[in-house]
Amino acid sequence: MQQALQHLAGQLEGDLFLDNTMRTLYATDASAYREMPLAVAIPRTEADLKRLIAFANEHNTSLIPRTAGTSLAGQVVGNGIVVDVSKHFNKILEFNKDERWVRVQPGVVRDELNLFLRPHGLYFGPETSTANRAMIGGMVGNNSCGSNSVVYGSTREHLLEVRALLADGSEATFTSIKSEKLKIKNSLSTLEGAIYRRTDEMLADAENVLEIRRNFPKPTIERRNTGYALDMLLDCAPYTPEGPDFNFCRLIAGSEGTLCLLTEIKLNVVPVPPRESGLVCIHCRSIDESLRATLVALKYKPYAVELIDDIILEQASTNAEQRKNSFFVQKTADDRFPIILVVDLSRDTKAEVEKLAAAMEAELRAAGMGYHFPLLFGDDSKKIWTLRKAGLGLLGNLPGDEKAVAVIEDTAVDVRDLPDFIRDFNEILKKNGMSSVHYAHAGSGEIHLRPIINLKTSEGHRQFRLIAEEIATLVKKYDGSLSGEHGDGRLRGEFIPQMVGPKNYELMRDLKRTWDPKGIFNPGKIVDTPPMDTFLRYEAGQQTPTFNTVFRYPNQDVLQHAEQCNGSGDCRKTQLSGGTMCPSYMATRNEKDTTRARANMLREMLTRSPKENRFDHEEIKDVMDLCLSCKGCKSECPSNVDMAKLKAEFLQHYYDANGVPVRSRLVANFSKLSGLASLVPWAYNAVFETPALRKAANRVVGFHPDRTMPLLHSTTLKKWFERRKGSKGGKEERTTVSPSSLSSPSRLVYLFCDEFTNYNDVEVGQKAVMLLEELGYEVIIPEHGESGRASLSKGLLREARKIADRNVRLLKDVISEETPLVGIEPSAILTFRDEYPDLVSEELAEAAGRLAKVALTFEEFMAREIDAKRITSDSFTTEPKLMKLHGHCQQKAVSSLVPAKKMLSLPKNYTVHLIPSGCCGMAGSFGYEAEHYDISMQIGELVLFPTVRQQPEEVIIAAPGTSCRHQIKDGTGRKAKHPAEILYEALIEVRQTAMSAETLTH
């Protein structure tokens, strides 16, 4: 087989991976399952897909189609060849505005399709919580819907036509067919003809019709995905004379890639939703109250009715990003988190929404339902939807090995049955000593129910099966669907005979054999599945060692932190969706370069490695290589997976086994080496200002020859500051601000003189100091060492700990809330807030925690003083200026860009626009390194470089990060300024002095 696979790899225009790394990364999805595939194919063309089909037929293996890999029922887990079409099959092929349809390839991202449609006033309705990375092919496979299914239904209702490759490699187009043309299809002597003939025989059989009508889920349940949709085909003409034209798309939607490979998908699109989106957030005291309130809410024809339970809200309170989105939450009288029902009353005008909301609130209050009813619009409503969509990821934050497990999370019943169904459901859990999370689609009769289970234990495995069996029986009692939108896969396939009866199940097996005689398409899903408690990620009684880590991981260990990644794939969003995570994936579109891939590999090796040092694996090193340590995942991943922290931890232990590379040692010693070079800055600059010498020097240390190097200033900031302080307090260098421009007396500021500002960006530091002094502050640079950022970035954690310990000892009794530590370079000052508390020696942890709370970026400090009215716009020019602000990654992850925008907007006519960029691509030393230079520039080209190039010269480019400013200069030739420089230059007195000096010169 290996020889045959090698031969196949040579035939494909795309890629075929046989290595352990790629196979491991594709062994899981977002479900509880894990199975090593035979290989991973990344096809480039339809010809590749045909070659793969031929290979599977010849060599008795299987193909597992995959897009974003966010399946929750194990749909894309198997032992065949995983066929990932997400990278190359991602084009919008054709669009017809008048007829309202669009034709796409299966790898088109749902939200990106809607970005394309928006200028035309159209929209693809079904919306999964993963819509910024979910792809149309996967949505068809699972028949996905989402929060707005009460209006738009599921993908099936919008699927008009597909082009597909059948199991023999032949092409077929499935679309609506008039009854008279079905006979022509039945007469074809091809596999397509056989499919039509056998389906006709099934649906024309009166006994089959009776059985389907009797045993499939209630037709009143909009979300019904149990097994193959024979009931949907039966509703078509000629089998139901008044029904719509026959269309196999009804069957293909929800078939999970088990029948054919899709190459093109034609979708119906609809007008965009009404302009005014108003969300009523009904605060309830219990799940039962919220479900009864749902029936009231549905009378008002909402666009969505979504549930967010108290467990999710509690987890949101521990997540930096989602805490901001929970601003509207009001706890109950006894200080508990509420159950919130989010009701979308979108209408054409705000007045209509307000009228409906008031009427609904009055009815609910009269019935004794709910206690708080905030109505939110605009950006506030977007925050609520972001919180709701983060629910799945937030559940990964539960500490320890107990997790909210996807096992019975997709049940759907008639919405009128929902209160009774959930009451029975919770009784079953209570009887078994279990509890559950409740969230999502109350308005559609589908609450995502996730019991808390520890799958690493034998008891957890028993509970996993037991609860699946008991809830399957309960769902059948209500004639519900075991799968509403997440599919059957290998999780629910075992229970389909119970759900639809043995005769209907045999019809499904017959259908599968007809479409796929040799079983090459995603076998073991929907029908003939292995037992649902086999091939789980975690083995019963799984034992892992105690890890002796350098970082602390509060309430967990390093493995459990990696396991917080539940595979939901938030890291697969592209630059079009905004945010920072994950810059390398945005550039390469390779699964290997996602945060999920890195977490998966860590979990795999730390769990299964036979080595004493379980970090000592090239596979981990391989997937970590393009991690920029941008920290985007720390805030944007709903599960708070801090991959930068995990990468640094890995590197330290990997070095323990393999030694520290010379380049890593040089980078980590940046501060010491810069100190030596600063003794003769002219010599250093002479080398790095001369292109030929610079290129030669870069090659010696492993940097890319085309990368420019930051030059040294003629002095250091500390030397300049000491000289200035010694010359009568520096007063002769200062202009005077009129007392009227200061609203409070001078204050003390402790400035952290980071290593980057001290040696390279001295002018930035000088202007920051002078700005503060001009505004009436006394600046002191206290005794401290370098930040340790360089050591942290290269994984030299024990060295970084020594630096952190020294700084905490020096500063813990100096810095306070009244006199915070203010830093110019975000990556340096935020080290105090981010890494120090979990890095310093145990005896200094408490002091480091206190220091973290009062370590502020320059922008945060300025915003604080502006809010306190100690700094006003009176000191600054009124000349109009436009600025484009690019934020530093760690600033966005650990702090915020709001203070920077507030600071830069202080002068009355200064306008600040945020550049919607993620990481600039430099990321400390990453962008300098020879093997990373190209990807670094690719990342810059995603959003940042094009945006900067489009700006006229008079527009100021603002960037707080030193590496960001350097990257902008190398990538665009434009000079970006630190906010401190911009505000200093905006001072009235400074401008007047500069103008006077210019007049005298001329």
Side-chain angles (χ1 to χ4, degrees):
M1 178 62 82
Q2 287 301 306
Q3 190 174 5
L5 286 166
Q6 292 284 0
H7 180 68
L8 174 64
Q11 293 181 311
L12 297 179
E13 295 174 60
D15 298 302
L16 186 71
F17 296 96
L18 310 177
D19 59 284
N20 192 54
T21 295
M22 288 292 280
R23 290 170 58 233
T24 298
L25 299 182
Y26 282 82
T28 55
D29 52 11
S31 71
Y33 294 97
R34 172 192 175 276
E35 188 172 7
M36 286 290 277
L38 181 65
V40 176
I42 314 289
R44 187 177 290 273
T45 61
E46 283 190 31
D48 281 351
L49 293 176
K50 290 180 179 180
R51 292 183 186 103
L52 287 163
I53 290 171
F55 182 90
N57 277 304
E58 182 182 352
H59 294 277
N60 195 31
T61 188
S62 62
L63 305 177
I64 305 160
R66 171 171 167 144
T67 51
T70 58
S71 309
L72 290 166
Q75 286 96 320
V76 296
V77 175
N79 61 11
I81 301 173
V82 174
V83 182
D84 183 348
V85 298
S86 66
K87 185 170 183 177
H88 299 300
F89 288 79
N90 55 11
K91 296 176 183 61
I92 297 172
L93 301 170
E94 189 178 2
F95 169 57
N96 189 311
K97 181 178 179 179
D98 295 333
E99 296 179 13
R100 292 183 182 172
W101 57 260
V102 64
R103 192 162 53 89
V104 302
Q105 291 182 312
V108 169
V109 174
R110 184 268 183 188
D111 277 1
E112 294 180 11
L113 172 60
N114 279 344
L115 284 175
F116 169 82
L117 293 169
R118 184 182 298 162
H120 305 284
L122 295 171
Y123 180 76
F124 175 61
E127 178 183 27
T128 67
S129 62
T130 58
N132 64 357
R133 66 268 190 201
M135 297 175 179
I136 299 300
M139 293 185 72
V140 171
N142 276 357
N143 188 32
S144 300
C145 36
S147 58
N148 56 16
S149 66
V150 292
V151 175
Y152 296 117
S154 63
T155 301
R156 178 180 285 129
E157 280 75 62
H158 300 269
L159 186 61
L160 301 176
E161 178 179 299
V162 298
R163 277 190 66 236
L165 298 177
L166 302 182
D168 62 353
S170 61
E171 298 178 24
T173 297
F174 296 107
T175 188
S176 292
I177 297 180
K178 298 289 183 185
S179 299
E180 57 271 19
K181 290 190 177 180
L182 275 176
K183 294 178 182 178
I184 299 173
K185 289 288 186 181
N186 289 345
S187 66
L188 296 175
S189 60
T190 60
L191 178 55
E192 181 185 1
I195 290 168
Y196 275 98
R197 278 193 301 279
R198 183 63 190 123
T199 304
D200 182 55
E201 291 166 5
M202 285 183 189
L203 300 182
D205 186 301
E207 190 177 328
N208 289 345
V209 170
L210 185 63
E211 193 68 19
I212 291 169
R213 300 286 191 208
R214 179 190 298 135
N215 274 314
F216 266 70
K218 284 182 181 179
T220 54
I221 301 170
E222 293 284 341
R223 295 159 167 262
R224 53 190 200 277
N225 276 340
T226 296
Y228 292 121
L230 290 170
D231 58 333
M232 296 289 185
L233 291 182
L234 191 58
D235 287 341
C236 295
Y239 311 106
T240 299
E242 68 277 12
D245 291 340
F246 186 88
N247 191 339
F248 264 130
C249 286
R250 289 180 156 228
L251 175 72
I252 290 168
S255 63
E256 302 178 6
T258 61
L259 303 179
C260 55
L261 285 183
L262 304 186
T263 58
E264 294 180 11
I265 299 165
K266 184 178 178 182
L267 299 168
N268 165 66
V269 293
V270 297
V272 294
R275 188 176 65 231
E276 287 292 346
S277 175
L279 302 185
V280 183
C281 300
I282 306 169
H283 286 50
C284 299
R285 301 166 191 84
S286 68
I287 292 290
D288 184 66
E289 182 183 314
S290 70
L291 298 180
R292 288 185 289 113
T294 296
L295 298 177
V296 174
L298 287 171
K299 296 179 186 179
Y300 295 85
K301 300 191 183 307
Y303 269 68
V305 183
E306 293 288 292
L307 189 73
I308 307 174
D309 82 352
D310 52 339
I311 296 176
I312 288 177
L313 291 175
E314 186 173 359
Q315 292 305 309
S317 71
T318 69
N319 178 284
E321 196 75 10
Q322 300 312 322
R323 192 161 50 242
K324 301 171 193 172
N325 296 329
S326 307
F327 66 95
F328 65 97
V329 176
Q330 186 180 106
K331 288 188 176 181
T332 62
D334 54 351
D335 199 39
R336 292 182 296 109
F337 281 103
I339 313 297
I340 290 180
L341 203 63
V342 180
V343 182
D344 182 349
L345 295 175
S346 292
R347 294 297 188 272
D348 289 328
T349 68
K350 194 172 184 179
E352 287 180 86
V353 175
E354 289 171 339
K355 183 179 178 181
L356 281 172
M360 184 175 70
E361 179 180 341
E363 184 173 351
L364 287 165
R365 285 190 184 275
M369 300 178 199
Y371 65 88
H372 182 50
F373 303 82
L375 172 60
L376 301 163
F377 293 90
D379 288 341
D380 285 343
S381 65
K382 292 176 186 175
K383 291 175 185 176
I384 295 168
W385 284 134
T386 301
L387 172 65
R388 156 57 198 98
K389 291 178 180 181
L392 173 60
L394 287 168
L395 297 178
N397 281 344
L398 294 173
D401 290 330
E402 290 194 331
K403 299 294 180 188
V405 175
V407 53
I408 40 82
E409 88 296 342
D410 199 31
T411 57
V413 296
D414 187 302
V415 68
R416 291 174 290 274
D417 293 333
L418 193 57
D420 291 339
F421 172 78
I422 295 297
R423 197 176 301 117
D424 290 350
F425 171 89
N426 283 324
E427 283 298 318
I428 291 172
L429 258 64
K430 185 177 178 181
K431 176 188 73 176
N432 289 291
M434 300 168 70
S435 61
S436 174
V437 175
H438 305 67
Y439 72 104
H441 317 302
S444 303
E446 176 173 358
I447 301 294
H448 290 327
L449 305 156
R450 287 193 166 215
I452 312 298
I453 297 175
N454 181 359
L455 281 177
K456 293 183 179 180
T457 65
S458 298
E459 175 62 11
H461 276 236
R462 186 191 71 80
Q463 290 176 323
F464 187 71
R465 168 165 281 282
L466 175 67
I467 200 67
E469 292 172 344
E470 295 211 20
I471 298 306
T473 301
L474 178 65
V475 171
K476 186 60 180 174
K477 171 186 169 183
Y478 285 90
D479 288 328
S481 177
L482 201 55
S483 170
E485 64 175 342
H486 294 164
D488 294 313
R490 60 200 309 165
L491 176 60
R492 287 174 270 272
E494 180 180 344
F495 302 104
I496 293 177
Q498 181 182 353
M499 293 295 103
V500 300
K503 181 172 178 59
N504 283 331
Y505 182 66
E506 284 307 313
L507 289 178
M508 291 180 185
R509 296 183 71 220
D510 189 349
L511 185 83
K512 165 69 173 174
R513 285 192 298 270
T514 303
W515 281 74
D516 184 16
K518 292 188 176 180
I520 67 166
F521 289 138
N522 210 9
K525 318 294 161 42
I526 301 181
V527 297
D528 298 321
T529 62
M532 55 84 66
D533 53 350
T534 56
F535 296 103
L536 295 178
R537 282 193 188 197
Y538 303 112
E539 299 171 5
Q542 178 176 302
Q543 298 295 316
T544 53
T546 301
F547 295 97
N548 183 22
T549 56
V550 183
F551 274 123
R552 285 181 291 277
Y553 298 84
N555 303 315
Q556 58 185 187
D557 62 24
V558 63
L559 174 58
Q560 289 168 330
H561 187 69
E563 287 172 344
Q564 282 183 201
C565 173
N566 58 15
S568 61
D570 299 70
C571 45
R572 283 182 62 99
K573 63 184 178 180
T574 73
Q575 75 277 7
L576 296 178
S577 296
T580 301
M581 178 182 72
C582 174
S584 51
Y585 172 77
M586 289 181 182
T588 69
R589 303 297 175 92
N590 291 330
E591 171 69 22
K592 179 184 171 185
D593 301 323
T594 62
T595 307
R596 173 172 71 180
R598 295 165 191 134
N600 276 339
M601 187 57 75
L602 274 172
R603 187 194 69 244
E604 182 80 12
M605 295 305 167
L606 296 184
T607 299
R608 292 183 166 83
S609 172
K611 295 185 176 183
E612 183 177 349
N613 179 350
R614 296 192 177 204
F615 293 94
D616 182 20
H617 284 279
E618 289 297 318
E619 291 92 339
I620 305 177
K621 184 172 180 286
D622 190 19
V623 297
M624 289 291 184
D625 182 53
L626 293 189
C627 172
L628 282 77
S629 298
C630 68
K631 290 284 182 177
C633 49
K634 184 180 174 73
S635 62
E636 292 175 32
C637 170
S639 300
N640 291 133
V641 176
D642 187 346
M643 192 50 63
K645 183 177 183 179
L646 290 170
K647 179 181 180 179
E649 188 76 60
F650 155 71
L651 285 172
Q652 179 65 81
H653 296 281
Y654 184 83
Y655 295 156
D656 291 343
N658 300 282
V660 182
V662 173
R663 186 178 66 189
S664 295
R665 185 75 72 185
L666 288 171
V667 170
N669 284 305
F670 166 83
S671 184
K672 293 173 185 174
L673 294 172
S674 294
L676 289 173
S678 71
L679 298 175
V680 282
W682 54 269
Y684 174 92
N685 291 344
V687 171
F688 289 104
E689 280 183 309
T690 306
L693 295 176
R694 185 200 74 228
K695 291 181 178 184
N698 279 5
R699 287 191 179 95
V700 168
V701 296
F703 289 165
H704 196 280
D706 292 339
R707 177 64 76 184
T708 66
M709 299 297 287
L711 302 177
L712 291 173
H713 198 275
S714 58
T715 185
T716 67
L717 182 61
K718 284 184 178 178
K719 287 177 183 176
W720 172 84
F721 187 81
E722 288 301 318
R723 284 198 306 269
R724 195 162 185 273
K725 189 172 68 172
S727 61
K728 299 179 183 179
K731 294 190 188 297
E732 59 276 276
E733 293 186 34
R734 294 171 57 191
T735 56
T736 304
V737 176
S738 60
S740 63
S741 70
L742 298 174
S743 54
S744 69
S746 297
R747 288 181 55 104
L748 191 64
V749 175
Y750 285 105
L751 187 71
F752 181 74
C753 182
D754 67 86
E755 52 271 33
F756 311 105
T757 308
N758 190 40
Y759 296 113
N760 305 113
D761 294 326
V762 178
E763 288 185 13
V764 175
Q766 290 170 338
K767 289 178 180 178
V769 170
M770 291 189 290
L771 171 65
L772 291 169
E773 289 180 345
E774 295 294 344
L775 294 172
Y777 294 86
E778 181 182 352
V779 179
I780 293 176
I781 296 180
E783 184 183 356
H784 64 74
E786 62 176 290
S787 68
R789 170 55 55 198
S791 294
L792 283 163
S793 73
K794 303 315 291 183
L796 293 169
L797 295 188
R798 296 190 188 93
E799 291 300 316
R801 173 181 281 174
K802 293 174 186 175
I803 294 167
D805 282 357
R806 178 169 181 264
N807 279 335
V808 172
R809 287 193 179 99
L810 288 169
L811 296 169
K812 63 184 177 67
D813 298 323
V814 177
I815 304 303
S816 67
E817 188 173 349
E818 292 73 31
T819 56
L821 185 66
V822 179
I824 295 169
E825 166 55 34
S827 67
I829 191 65
L830 292 175
T831 305
F832 284 85
R833 192 185 304 177
D834 189 17
E835 287 95 351
Y836 276 22
D838 293 334
L839 178 65
V840 296
S841 300
E842 193 68 49
E843 68 273 14
L844 291 171
E846 187 178 343
R850 291 196 304 270
L851 191 56
K853 295 175 183 176
V854 289
L856 306 180
T857 65
F858 194 88
E859 296 79 15
E860 287 173 328
F861 174 77
M862 292 292 290
R864 187 182 86 164
E865 299 302 284
I866 291 167
D867 288 341
K869 303 290 192 286
R870 289 188 283 267
I871 300 175
T872 69
S873 60
D874 296 346
S875 302
F876 299 92
T877 181
T878 57
E879 180 186 347
K881 284 283 185 184
L882 174 62
M883 270 155 284
K884 298 289 184 175
L885 171 63
H886 166 76
H888 188 280
C889 289
Q890 285 166 304
Q891 194 172 16
K892 287 183 277 193
V894 183
S895 171
S896 167
L897 290 186
V898 172
K901 187 171 184 182
K902 179 177 289 188
M903 170 186 169
L904 289 170
S905 301
L906 181 61
K908 287 178 180 174
N909 293 311
Y910 275 24
T911 303
V912 184
H913 294 163
L914 297 180
I915 298 176
S917 49
C919 180
C920 72
M922 184 67 91
S925 67
F926 181 90
Y928 291 90
E929 294 163 356
E931 69 276 23
H932 297 144
Y933 175 80
D934 289 341
I935 193 76
S936 165
M937 300 308 278
Q938 274 182 258
I939 292 167
E941 291 290 355
L942 293 172
V943 175
L944 180 59
F945 293 171
T947 304
V948 170
R949 291 189 194 112
Q950 289 166 10
Q951 305 311 312
E953 282 301 316
E954 62 270 18
V955 174
I956 299 171
I957 308 300
T962 182
S963 59
C964 305
R965 295 192 296 274
H966 195 141
Q967 177 78 327
I968 290 168
K969 181 176 179 292
D970 279 1
T972 69
R974 289 285 293 266
K975 181 182 178 182
K977 294 184 176 183
H978 190 283
E981 293 181 276
I982 296 169
L983 222 55
Y984 173 74
E985 291 164 6
L987 283 166
I988 293 172
E989 298 292 344
V990 170
R991 281 173 167 257
Q992 289 175 347
T993 303
M995 287 172 64
S996 298
E998 186 177 354
T999 302
L1000 288 171
T1001 302
H1002 287 294

